[in-house]
């Protein structure tokens, strides 16, 4: 599993949890948003290496 694949999986899982939590009035919506944000940050920074 590559880093980009893992990041996309985090984004999808985060969005699914956010939608579920929003519909069920459940605090898991905030966890989903946090996972999606982490996935987006990983996608944005993947492939960049310091010193190059």
């Amino acid at each position: 599993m590559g880093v980009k694949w893992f990041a996309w999986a985090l984004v999808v899982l985060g969005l699914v949890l956010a939608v579920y939590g929003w519909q069920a009035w459940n605090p898991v919506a905030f966890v989903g948003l946090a996972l999606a944000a982490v996935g987006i940050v990983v996608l944005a920074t993947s492939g960049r290496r310091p010193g190059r």
Side-chain angles (χ1 to χ4, degrees), residues 7-46:
W8 277 112
L10 279 180
V11 170
V12 170
L13 178 64
L15 291 177
V16 168
L17 286 176
V19 169
Y20 169 75
W22 198 284
Q23 294 294 323
W25 287 88
N26 195 326
V28 77
F30 295 108
V31 174
L33 291 175
L35 280 177
V38 168
I40 290 170
V41 168
V42 170
L43 278 173
T45 59
S46 67

